[in-house]
Amino acid sequence: MHGQFKLFFEKTYIIVVPTFKDTLVHHHNMLHVFFGNGDLKLSACGKEICGNVIILENDIEHKAPDGEIAFFLFVDPTSHFAEVLREKFLKGQPAVAVNLPQATFDKASLTEESIKKTVFDFAGVVQLSKLNLDERILQILNNIDDFKHLGSRVSELADKYSYSESYLTHLFKSETGIALKSYLLMRQFEYVWREVMKGRSLTDASMDAGFSSPSHFSDVCRKLTGISVTKVLESQKTQ
C-alpha cells in the first residue's frame, strides 16, 4: 500500500483516499463514486464499464475497480446528492462510467477542500440535505445520523417512536428504499471510523457503537467494504 489513508466526513457523504488496491467482493447501502488517475474498470451486474469516474448504485455487488483510484465517495442513499447521481448519471442503471476531463490527482496532496471542489464541479450544485421524506421517518433518520441510536435494534426504535415493528420497517423501507436495520448498521460503521480517525482505540470505538467486540466490527467492515481493518490501521502506523 502506498500513501496515506484519509477519511473526510461530510453531511451526506464520506470521502476516502485509499491505501488499498484490491478488495473482496462486497455490497452495502451507500452509493459509490470513484475518481481515478486514468481509466478505471469495474465489473457489475455482468457488465464491465470503463472511465475515469465510475458511479455505482447502492446494494450492488462489486470489488474495487482496476486502475489507480485517487479517491472515492460513499454517498447516503437518502440524500439529495444520491438523487442527483441517480437522475443525472445512473438513469436506472446499476453502474455508469463517465469520462471527465481532469488533471491527474496527486494523492499525497489531496485535501478535503480540493476533493469537495472536484465533486461539486462534477455533480453540479449538490444539496447536502435529506430527500423530502415523511416527517416521522425524517425525524428518525436525523436522530440516527446524530448517533443517538447506536446499537439499537429495530424493535427498540419501534417502541421508542410508538410504532409496531412491522409498520416502522415497512414505512422506513417505502420512504427511503433501504431497510432500517441496514441504515442503523451503516451509521454504526461510520461512527467507529470517525472515532478511530480521531485517535480513539478500535476497541473503545466499536464497543461504544454497539458492536459486541472489535472483531465483530472488523467482520462487518470486511462484509460492507471488502477491506481489512487491520491492514488499514497498520498502514497508518507506517506513515
Side-chain angles (χ1 to χ4, degrees):
M1 292 184 283
H2 303 284
Q4 183 182 15
F5 177 75
K6 301 175 185 176
L7 275 175
F8 303 113
F9 297 94
E10 306 303 324
K11 185 174 181 180
T12 57
Y13 62 98
I14 301 169
I15 300 166
V16 183
V17 180
T19 52
F20 50 85
K21 186 171 179 63
D22 298 314
T23 67
L24 301 173
V25 175
H26 60 284
H27 66 94
H28 45 72
N29 284 303
M30 303 284 262
L31 283 78
H32 259 322
V33 187
F34 297 95
F35 289 80
N37 280 326
D39 280 347
L40 302 173
K41 293 182 180 180
L42 175 73
S43 295
C45 299
K47 296 182 179 180
E48 185 174 272
I49 57 175
C50 179
N52 56 24
V53 178
I54 290 178
I55 304 169
L56 186 69
E57 182 59 275
N58 69 314
D59 207 28
I60 303 295
E61 281 199 343
H62 65 284
K63 294 176 66 175
D66 294 330
E68 184 185 345
I69 302 170
F71 62 92
F72 65 89
L73 313 178
F74 289 109
V75 180
D76 183 339
T78 68
S79 67
H80 279 289
F81 189 3
E83 185 176 53
V84 168
L85 294 174
R86 287 168 172 147
E87 292 184 354
K88 187 173 182 179
F89 299 105
L90 286 166
K91 299 178 180 178
Q93 302 177 77
V96 296
V98 180
N99 287 307
L100 179 69
Q102 62 179 27
T104 300
F105 298 105
D106 178 5
K107 291 182 69 172
S109 62
L110 282 172
T111 65
E112 182 175 7
E113 290 306 314
S114 68
I115 292 173
K116 286 169 64 176
K117 183 180 186 307
T118 298
V119 171
F120 275 58
D121 288 347
F122 168 71
V125 177
V126 177
Q127 296 183 55
L128 298 181
S129 57
K130 296 288 187 181
L131 297 172
N132 293 322
L133 304 173
D134 182 290
E135 285 296 327
R136 298 166 294 177
I137 294 303
L138 191 57
Q139 178 190 5
I140 294 172
L141 274 173
N142 288 335
N143 286 335
I144 295 172
D145 290 349
D146 289 338
F147 307 119
K148 294 179 179 179
H149 298 308
L150 287 173
S152 294
R153 298 175 181 273
V154 173
S155 58
E156 293 171 336
L157 261 66
D159 288 342
K160 181 176 180 61
Y161 293 97
S162 302
Y163 299 119
S164 71
E165 183 175 351
S166 60
Y167 179 75
L168 178 59
T169 300
H170 172 75
L171 181 61
F172 191 93
K173 181 66 179 288
S174 66
E175 283 289 310
T176 68
I178 64 175
L180 176 53
K181 182 178 179 181
S182 297
Y183 195 81
L184 285 164
L185 182 60
M186 184 171 69
R187 290 307 185 198
Q188 274 184 282
F189 172 77
E190 178 186 340
Y191 175 85
V192 175
W193 276 115
R194 280 180 179 269
E195 294 301 298
V196 167
M197 297 305 288
K198 292 176 184 176
R200 290 191 69 196
S201 73
L202 179 63
T203 298
D204 288 346
S206 59
M207 297 298 283
D208 282 355
F211 292 100
S212 59
S213 65
S215 62
H216 179 205
F217 169 74
S218 296
D219 289 344
V220 170
C221 185
R222 190 177 294 106
K223 181 180 179 181
L224 290 180
T225 67
I227 65 172
S228 164
V229 175
T230 302
K231 287 185 177 180
V232 172
L233 296 180
E234 285 177 350
S235 75
Q236 292 296 91
K237 294 177 182 177
T238 61
Q239 302 304 320

PDB file of all heavy atoms in Angstrom, residues 172-193:
ATOM      1  N   PHE A 172     -40.295   2.770   6.767  1.00  0.00           N
ATOM      2  CA  PHE A 172     -38.923   3.215   6.505  1.00  0.00           C
ATOM      3  C   PHE A 172     -38.462   2.751   5.127  1.00  0.00           C
ATOM      4  O   PHE A 172     -37.894   3.530   4.356  1.00  0.00           O
ATOM      5  CB  PHE A 172     -37.982   2.673   7.587  1.00  0.00           C
ATOM      6  CG  PHE A 172     -36.607   3.292   7.563  1.00  0.00           C
ATOM      7  CD1 PHE A 172     -36.324   4.391   8.359  1.00  0.00           C
ATOM      8  CD2 PHE A 172     -35.614   2.777   6.755  1.00  0.00           C
ATOM      9  CE1 PHE A 172     -35.057   4.982   8.342  1.00  0.00           C
ATOM     10  CE2 PHE A 172     -34.343   3.352   6.716  1.00  0.00           C
ATOM     11  CZ  PHE A 172     -34.070   4.457   7.521  1.00  0.00           C
ATOM     12  N   LYS A 173     -38.709   1.491   4.808  1.00  0.00           N
ATOM     13  CA  LYS A 173     -38.281   0.949   3.509  1.00  0.00           C
ATOM     14  C   LYS A 173     -39.008   1.638   2.354  1.00  0.00           C
ATOM     15  O   LYS A 173     -38.395   1.970   1.321  1.00  0.00           O
ATOM     16  CB  LYS A 173     -38.515  -0.557   3.463  1.00  0.00           C
ATOM     17  CG  LYS A 173     -38.074  -1.242   2.169  1.00  0.00           C
ATOM     18  CD  LYS A 173     -36.571  -1.190   1.999  1.00  0.00           C
ATOM     19  CE  LYS A 173     -36.113  -1.886   0.726  1.00  0.00           C
ATOM     20  NZ  LYS A 173     -36.249  -3.363   0.828  1.00  0.00           N
ATOM     21  N   SER A 174     -40.302   1.890   2.523  1.00  0.00           N
ATOM     22  CA  SER A 174     -41.064   2.510   1.437  1.00  0.00           C
ATOM     23  C   SER A 174     -40.635   3.959   1.206  1.00  0.00           C
ATOM     24  O   SER A 174     -40.669   4.456   0.077  1.00  0.00           O
ATOM     25  CB  SER A 174     -42.563   2.446   1.732  1.00  0.00           C
ATOM     26  OG  SER A 174     -42.905   3.236   2.868  1.00  0.00           O
ATOM     27  N   GLU A 175     -40.216   4.657   2.262  1.00  0.00           N
ATOM     28  CA  GLU A 175     -39.813   6.052   2.138  1.00  0.00           C
ATOM     29  C   GLU A 175     -38.377   6.205   1.626  1.00  0.00           C
ATOM     30  O   GLU A 175     -38.077   7.103   0.855  1.00  0.00           O
ATOM     31  CB  GLU A 175     -39.932   6.750   3.502  1.00  0.00           C
ATOM     32  CG  GLU A 175     -41.342   7.093   3.889  1.00  0.00           C
ATOM     33  CD  GLU A 175     -41.909   8.233   3.049  1.00  0.00           C
ATOM     34  OE1 GLU A 175     -41.239   9.273   2.913  1.00  0.00           O
ATOM     35  OE2 GLU A 175     -43.033   8.071   2.529  1.00  0.00           O
ATOM     36  N   THR A 176     -37.480   5.345   2.106  1.00  0.00           N
ATOM     37  CA  THR A 176     -36.051   5.527   1.817  1.00  0.00           C
ATOM     38  C   THR A 176     -35.499   4.566   0.776  1.00  0.00           C
ATOM     39  O   THR A 176     -34.448   4.824   0.188  1.00  0.00           O
ATOM     40  CB  THR A 176     -35.204   5.354   3.091  1.00  0.00           C
ATOM     41  OG1 THR A 176     -35.266   3.983   3.514  1.00  0.00           O
ATOM     42  CG2 THR A 176     -35.699   6.257   4.205  1.00  0.00           C
ATOM     43  N   GLY A 177     -36.171   3.438   0.590  1.00  0.00           N
ATOM     44  CA  GLY A 177     -35.679   2.439  -0.352  1.00  0.00           C
ATOM     45  C   GLY A 177     -34.695   1.456   0.246  1.00  0.00           C
ATOM     46  O   GLY A 177     -34.226   0.548  -0.450  1.00  0.00           O
ATOM     47  N   ILE A 178     -34.352   1.624   1.522  1.00  0.00           N
ATOM     48  CA  ILE A 178     -33.434   0.699   2.172  1.00  0.00           C
ATOM     49  C   ILE A 178     -34.029   0.238   3.493  1.00  0.00           C
ATOM     50  O   ILE A 178     -34.942   0.871   4.028  1.00  0.00           O
ATOM     51  CB  ILE A 178     -32.038   1.324   2.415  1.00  0.00           C
ATOM     52  CG1 ILE A 178     -32.131   2.502   3.385  1.00  0.00           C
ATOM     53  CG2 ILE A 178     -31.391   1.750   1.115  1.00  0.00           C
ATOM     54  CD1 ILE A 178     -30.787   3.075   3.765  1.00  0.00           C
ATOM     55  N   ALA A 179     -33.498  -0.849   4.017  1.00  0.00           N
ATOM     56  CA  ALA A 179     -34.010  -1.403   5.265  1.00  0.00           C
ATOM     57  C   ALA A 179     -33.489  -0.606   6.455  1.00  0.00           C
ATOM     58  O   ALA A 179     -32.330  -0.170   6.472  1.00  0.00           O
ATOM     59  CB  ALA A 179     -33.584  -2.863   5.400  1.00  0.00           C
ATOM     60  N   LEU A 180     -34.332  -0.404   7.450  1.00  0.00           N
ATOM     61  CA  LEU A 180     -33.942   0.329   8.650  1.00  0.00           C
ATOM     62  C   LEU A 180     -32.761  -0.345   9.339  1.00  0.00           C
ATOM     63  O   LEU A 180     -31.831   0.327   9.795  1.00  0.00           O
ATOM     64  CB  LEU A 180     -35.132   0.427   9.603  1.00  0.00           C
ATOM     65  CG  LEU A 180     -34.890   1.092  10.962  1.00  0.00           C
ATOM     66  CD1 LEU A 180     -34.267   2.470  10.812  1.00  0.00           C
ATOM     67  CD2 LEU A 180     -36.201   1.177  11.745  1.00  0.00           C
ATOM     68  N   LYS A 181     -32.778  -1.660   9.426  1.00  0.00           N
ATOM     69  CA  LYS A 181     -31.674  -2.390  10.054  1.00  0.00           C
ATOM     70  C   LYS A 181     -30.356  -2.091   9.355  1.00  0.00           C
ATOM     71  O   LYS A 181     -29.319  -1.883  10.005  1.00  0.00           O
ATOM     72  CB  LYS A 181     -31.959  -3.897  10.025  1.00  0.00           C
ATOM     73  CG  LYS A 181     -30.889  -4.740  10.692  1.00  0.00           C
ATOM     74  CD  LYS A 181     -31.268  -6.218  10.659  1.00  0.00           C
ATOM     75  CE  LYS A 181     -30.195  -7.068  11.313  1.00  0.00           C
ATOM     76  NZ  LYS A 181     -30.557  -8.523  11.271  1.00  0.00           N
ATOM     77  N   SER A 182     -30.384  -2.035   8.038  1.00  0.00           N
ATOM     78  CA  SER A 182     -29.167  -1.752   7.266  1.00  0.00           C
ATOM     79  C   SER A 182     -28.694  -0.323   7.479  1.00  0.00           C
ATOM     80  O   SER A 182     -27.485  -0.069   7.555  1.00  0.00           O
ATOM     81  CB  SER A 182     -29.422  -1.995   5.778  1.00  0.00           C
ATOM     82  OG  SER A 182     -29.736  -3.347   5.533  1.00  0.00           O
ATOM     83  N   TYR A 183     -29.634   0.609   7.586  1.00  0.00           N
ATOM     84  CA  TYR A 183     -29.250   2.010   7.801  1.00  0.00           C
ATOM     85  C   TYR A 183     -28.625   2.191   9.181  1.00  0.00           C
ATOM     86  O   TYR A 183     -27.642   2.916   9.344  1.00  0.00           O
ATOM     87  CB  TYR A 183     -30.462   2.928   7.640  1.00  0.00           C
ATOM     88  CG  TYR A 183     -30.088   4.375   7.491  1.00  0.00           C
ATOM     89  CD1 TYR A 183     -29.684   4.875   6.260  1.00  0.00           C
ATOM     90  CD2 TYR A 183     -30.117   5.253   8.574  1.00  0.00           C
ATOM     91  CE1 TYR A 183     -29.321   6.205   6.104  1.00  0.00           C
ATOM     92  CE2 TYR A 183     -29.754   6.581   8.434  1.00  0.00           C
ATOM     93  CZ  TYR A 183     -29.359   7.054   7.198  1.00  0.00           C
ATOM     94  OH  TYR A 183     -28.979   8.372   7.051  1.00  0.00           O
ATOM     95  N   LEU A 184     -29.182   1.532  10.186  1.00  0.00           N
ATOM     96  CA  LEU A 184     -28.601   1.589  11.526  1.00  0.00           C
ATOM     97  C   LEU A 184     -27.170   1.057  11.521  1.00  0.00           C
ATOM     98  O   LEU A 184     -26.268   1.656  12.122  1.00  0.00           O
ATOM     99  CB  LEU A 184     -29.456   0.766  12.497  1.00  0.00           C
ATOM    100  CG  LEU A 184     -30.787   1.381  12.927  1.00  0.00           C
ATOM    101  CD1 LEU A 184     -31.676   0.308  13.561  1.00  0.00           C
ATOM    102  CD2 LEU A 184     -30.558   2.527  13.920  1.00  0.00           C
ATOM    103  N   LEU A 185     -26.956  -0.046  10.834  1.00  0.00           N
ATOM    104  CA  LEU A 185     -25.618  -0.635  10.775  1.00  0.00           C
ATOM    105  C   LEU A 185     -24.649   0.281  10.047  1.00  0.00           C
ATOM    106  O   LEU A 185     -23.484   0.429  10.459  1.00  0.00           O
ATOM    107  CB  LEU A 185     -25.693  -1.988  10.068  1.00  0.00           C
ATOM    108  CG  LEU A 185     -24.378  -2.766   9.951  1.00  0.00           C
ATOM    109  CD1 LEU A 185     -23.798  -3.078  11.329  1.00  0.00           C
ATOM    110  CD2 LEU A 185     -24.589  -4.059   9.158  1.00  0.00           C
ATOM    111  N   MET A 186     -25.117   0.920   8.995  1.00  0.00           N
ATOM    112  CA  MET A 186     -24.278   1.823   8.222  1.00  0.00           C
ATOM    113  C   MET A 186     -23.763   2.973   9.091  1.00  0.00           C
ATOM    114  O   MET A 186     -22.587   3.346   9.039  1.00  0.00           O
ATOM    115  CB  MET A 186     -25.095   2.374   7.044  1.00  0.00           C
ATOM    116  CG  MET A 186     -24.341   3.269   6.083  1.00  0.00           C
ATOM    117  SD  MET A 186     -25.366   3.603   4.626  1.00  0.00           S
ATOM    118  CE  MET A 186     -26.647   4.650   5.320  1.00  0.00           C
ATOM    119  N   ARG A 187     -24.635   3.518   9.939  1.00  0.00           N
ATOM    120  CA  ARG A 187     -24.223   4.632  10.809  1.00  0.00           C
ATOM    121  C   ARG A 187     -23.346   4.148  11.964  1.00  0.00           C
ATOM    122  O   ARG A 187     -22.462   4.875  12.420  1.00  0.00           O
ATOM    123  CB  ARG A 187     -25.450   5.373  11.332  1.00  0.00           C
ATOM    124  CG  ARG A 187     -26.173   6.172  10.255  1.00  0.00           C
ATOM    125  CD  ARG A 187     -25.240   7.103   9.521  1.00  0.00           C
ATOM    126  NE  ARG A 187     -25.943   7.956   8.568  1.00  0.00           N
ATOM    127  CZ  ARG A 187     -25.354   8.605   7.577  1.00  0.00           C
ATOM    128  NH1 ARG A 187     -24.053   8.508   7.398  1.00  0.00           N
ATOM    129  NH2 ARG A 187     -26.060   9.369   6.763  1.00  0.00           N
ATOM    130  N   GLN A 188     -23.574   2.942  12.445  1.00  0.00           N
ATOM    131  CA  GLN A 188     -22.666   2.355  13.438  1.00  0.00           C
ATOM    132  C   GLN A 188     -21.259   2.279  12.873  1.00  0.00           C
ATOM    133  O   GLN A 188     -20.271   2.629  13.533  1.00  0.00           O
ATOM    134  CB  GLN A 188     -23.116   0.933  13.805  1.00  0.00           C
ATOM    135  CG  GLN A 188     -24.137   0.809  14.899  1.00  0.00           C
ATOM    136  CD  GLN A 188     -24.385  -0.657  15.192  1.00  0.00           C
ATOM    137  OE1 GLN A 188     -25.107  -1.326  14.450  1.00  0.00           O
ATOM    138  NE2 GLN A 188     -23.790  -1.156  16.257  1.00  0.00           N
ATOM    139  N   PHE A 189     -21.188   1.780  11.664  1.00  0.00           N
ATOM    140  CA  PHE A 189     -19.912   1.628  10.963  1.00  0.00           C
ATOM    141  C   PHE A 189     -19.215   2.980  10.814  1.00  0.00           C
ATOM    142  O   PHE A 189     -18.018   3.128  11.086  1.00  0.00           O
ATOM    143  CB  PHE A 189     -20.197   0.995   9.596  1.00  0.00           C
ATOM    144  CG  PHE A 189     -19.025   0.935   8.663  1.00  0.00           C
ATOM    145  CD1 PHE A 189     -18.043  -0.024   8.830  1.00  0.00           C
ATOM    146  CD2 PHE A 189     -18.920   1.816   7.602  1.00  0.00           C
ATOM    147  CE1 PHE A 189     -16.970  -0.091   7.953  1.00  0.00           C
ATOM    148  CE2 PHE A 189     -17.859   1.762   6.724  1.00  0.00           C
ATOM    149  CZ  PHE A 189     -16.877   0.801   6.900  1.00  0.00           C
ATOM    150  N   GLU A 190     -19.989   3.983  10.408  1.00  0.00           N
ATOM    151  CA  GLU A 190     -19.422   5.326  10.248  1.00  0.00           C
ATOM    152  C   GLU A 190     -18.897   5.867  11.577  1.00  0.00           C
ATOM    153  O   GLU A 190     -17.820   6.463  11.638  1.00  0.00           O
ATOM    154  CB  GLU A 190     -20.483   6.279   9.684  1.00  0.00           C
ATOM    155  CG  GLU A 190     -19.980   7.711   9.543  1.00  0.00           C
ATOM    156  CD  GLU A 190     -21.067   8.679   9.132  1.00  0.00           C
ATOM    157  OE1 GLU A 190     -22.109   8.234   8.588  1.00  0.00           O
ATOM    158  OE2 GLU A 190     -20.886   9.891   9.362  1.00  0.00           O
ATOM    159  N   TYR A 191     -19.666   5.676  12.645  1.00  0.00           N
ATOM    160  CA  TYR A 191     -19.264   6.193  13.957  1.00  0.00           C
ATOM    161  C   TYR A 191     -17.898   5.652  14.370  1.00  0.00           C
ATOM    162  O   TYR A 191     -17.045   6.400  14.849  1.00  0.00           O
ATOM    163  CB  TYR A 191     -20.310   5.810  15.006  1.00  0.00           C
ATOM    164  CG  TYR A 191     -19.913   6.200  16.417  1.00  0.00           C
ATOM    165  CD1 TYR A 191     -20.172   7.481  16.906  1.00  0.00           C
ATOM    166  CD2 TYR A 191     -19.261   5.304  17.268  1.00  0.00           C
ATOM    167  CE1 TYR A 191     -19.800   7.847  18.192  1.00  0.00           C
ATOM    168  CE2 TYR A 191     -18.882   5.661  18.550  1.00  0.00           C
ATOM    169  CZ  TYR A 191     -19.149   6.936  19.002  1.00  0.00           C
ATOM    170  OH  TYR A 191     -18.764   7.298  20.279  1.00  0.00           O
ATOM    171  N   VAL A 192     -17.684   4.354  14.186  1.00  0.00           N
ATOM    172  CA  VAL A 192     -16.408   3.761  14.590  1.00  0.00           C
ATOM    173  C   VAL A 192     -15.251   4.402  13.833  1.00  0.00           C
ATOM    174  O   VAL A 192     -14.238   4.789  14.430  1.00  0.00           O
ATOM    175  CB  VAL A 192     -16.423   2.236  14.365  1.00  0.00           C
ATOM    176  CG1 VAL A 192     -15.047   1.647  14.684  1.00  0.00           C
ATOM    177  CG2 VAL A 192     -17.478   1.581  15.244  1.00  0.00           C
ATOM    178  N   TRP A 193     -15.403   4.551  12.523  1.00  0.00           N
ATOM    179  CA  TRP A 193     -14.305   5.142  11.750  1.00  0.00           C
ATOM    180  C   TRP A 193     -14.075   6.602  12.105  1.00  0.00           C
ATOM    181  O   TRP A 193     -12.931   7.069  12.140  1.00  0.00           O
ATOM    182  CB  TRP A 193     -14.578   4.994  10.249  1.00  0.00           C
ATOM    183  CG  TRP A 193     -14.154   3.661   9.727  1.00  0.00           C
ATOM    184  CD1 TRP A 193     -14.952   2.681   9.214  1.00  0.00           C
ATOM    185  CD2 TRP A 193     -12.822   3.139   9.685  1.00  0.00           C
ATOM    186  NE1 TRP A 193     -14.213   1.592   8.860  1.00  0.00           N
ATOM    187  CE2 TRP A 193     -12.901   1.844   9.130  1.00  0.00           C
ATOM    188  CE3 TRP A 193     -11.584   3.641  10.047  1.00  0.00           C
ATOM    189  CZ2 TRP A 193     -11.773   1.035   8.937  1.00  0.00           C
ATOM    190  CZ3 TRP A 193     -10.457   2.841   9.864  1.00  0.00           C
ATOM    191  CH2 TRP A 193     -10.556   1.554   9.319  1.00  0.00           C
TER     192      TRP A 193
END
